[in-house]
Amino acid sequence: MLTDYHLHLRPDEEGTKAELYFTAENVDRYLAAAAAAGIEELGVSEHVYRFRQALDLWRHPLWVASARDDLDAYCEFVRTTPLRLGIECDFVPGAEQRTAELLAARDFDYVVGSVHFIGEGDAAVDHDGFDVWGGGNDAEKIWSRYFEMLAEAARSGLFDILAHPDLVKVWGRERRPLPEGDLRRFYVPAVEAIADSGVAVELSTAGLRKPVGELYPATGFAELCVEAGVPFALSSDAHLPEQVGFAYDAAIELLDALGVGEICVFERRERRLAPLGARVG
Ligand SMILES: [Zn+2]
Ligand SMILES: [Zn+2]
């Protein structure tokens, strides 16, 4: 079995209106791409901040500018398709109760939890417009804060899968500083929280499309997950049909090398493990 659970039906740019992308024709393009890659199970996980209901969680300026669509209309639309119903939901410290209520009110198959924003204010690790890199923040501090928040996100119990677990590396060594030395000092406490909480982590090929040019998470992080018994979900974080199953060979190769023979499958927020399949084509 192969899955792709972290998908977006549209790019993140302005002007990508729901009515243009939440259509049967667009979903068919994703399903065709999945079939060609031998991916049996496909789920969509739109960004929570593109829905008006997200403003109950946080009024970040990007969210205020982006929150135009209706979350319930999205859920209803996805249920008319063969896609699993998911959502990519940011972890917003202090909004755990409101996040739990927003999620519990819908019949999601799974919830992908993300850490993009880590500042005291609006700053993000992966967004040029709200860049945390600068203003005297050094890599050591930013990485510590990022992985502390990832651990908090795991312990919140809000999520089924943690997205792109080491997203903080997104810009790569050329574009932003990296901490010195063995990075496992950041990974270990986060993986401990992940293992304690029982949440799955995503093995995402999206990092291969980003300046860093690596899978999320790094092999060192993935090894700790395997040692701790943390299960993996497989995803491309596609924002276009042609990105479905992107670079899955690399992901499958890493799972094979780690001796991981099973991946997570979700339905109505119940998880089971299925044997890892092979990519075709
Ligand atoms: Zn994300
Ligand atoms: Zn995403």
Side-chain angles (χ1 to χ4, degrees):
M1 155 82 87
L2 291 179
T3 61
D4 197 340
Y5 279 141
H6 186 159
L7 295 180
H8 302 270
L9 289 175
R10 53 185 172 177
D12 290 338
E13 282 82 53
E14 279 288 302
T16 49
K17 291 191 172 125
E19 56 266 37
L20 299 176
Y21 292 89
F22 296 172
T23 67
E25 294 72 28
N26 192 37
V27 169
D28 283 345
R29 288 191 275 272
Y30 281 76
L31 292 169
I39 296 168
E40 290 152 82
E41 196 158 291
L42 214 55
V44 63
S45 57
E46 285 299 309
H47 287 291
V48 72
Y49 65 76
R50 302 203 60 177
F51 301 106
R52 292 191 293 277
Q53 288 87 342
L55 298 181
D56 296 339
L57 309 185
W58 200 18
R59 299 191 65 85
H60 185 286
L62 175 70
W63 294 33
V64 171
S66 309
R68 299 219 176 87
D69 304 325
D70 179 55
L71 180 56
D72 295 300
Y74 159 71
C75 295
E76 272 168 44
F77 167 69
V78 175
R79 287 299 181 204
T80 67
T81 75
L83 299 173
R84 291 274 179 224
L85 174 60
I87 188 162
E88 179 174 8
C89 187
D90 290 80
F91 174 62
V92 182
E96 290 86 346
Q97 187 57 38
R98 299 196 301 282
T99 304
E101 284 163 14
L102 179 145
L103 297 173
R106 281 104 196 161
D107 65 341
F108 293 112
D109 288 310
Y110 57 88
V111 177
V112 181
S114 295
V115 174
H116 306 105
F117 303 95
I118 63 161
E120 297 298 312
D122 299 332
V125 293
D126 64 337
H127 197 298
D128 264 334
F130 302 94
D131 199 354
V132 75
W133 303 90
N137 279 330
D138 66 13
E140 191 73 22
K141 216 161 107 185
I142 290 171
W143 277 56
S144 298
R145 179 69 190 130
Y146 173 82
F147 284 101
E148 278 163 22
M149 271 195 68
L150 189 71
E152 273 180 69
R155 290 196 202 278
S156 74
L158 290 166
F159 309 119
D160 302 300
I161 305 168
L162 286 185
H164 38 61
D166 57 350
L167 178 69
V168 67
K169 72 182 179 186
V170 59
W171 297 110
R173 185 176 289 283
E174 307 291 308
R175 308 271 290 269
R176 301 288 190 283
L178 272 184
E180 299 293 330
D182 189 340
L183 298 174
R184 280 177 299 186
R185 68 185 180 281
F186 300 104
Y187 305 157
V188 167
V191 173
E192 205 174 279
I194 289 166
D196 286 351
S197 67
V199 69
V201 296
E202 179 176 82
L203 179 57
S204 168
T205 56
L208 293 168
R209 304 194 300 267
K210 298 292 160 72
V212 68
E214 287 176 16
L215 292 166
Y216 300 121
T219 303
F221 189 104
E223 282 168 352
L224 292 170
C225 289
V226 173
E227 278 168 31
V230 174
F232 291 90
L234 191 55
S235 294
S236 67
D237 207 346
H239 286 67
L240 299 166
E242 51 269 35
Q243 292 171 344
V244 172
F246 170 80
Y248 264 25
D249 290 342
I252 293 165
E253 198 179 302
L254 176 61
L255 291 173
D256 283 344
L258 294 170
V260 176
E262 293 180 309
I263 52 169
C264 297
V265 177
F266 293 91
E267 188 173 0
R268 310 272 165 163
R269 307 204 65 182
E270 296 280 332
R271 178 173 85 202
R272 66 183 173 84
L273 291 172
L276 173 67
R279 197 185 189 283
V280 298

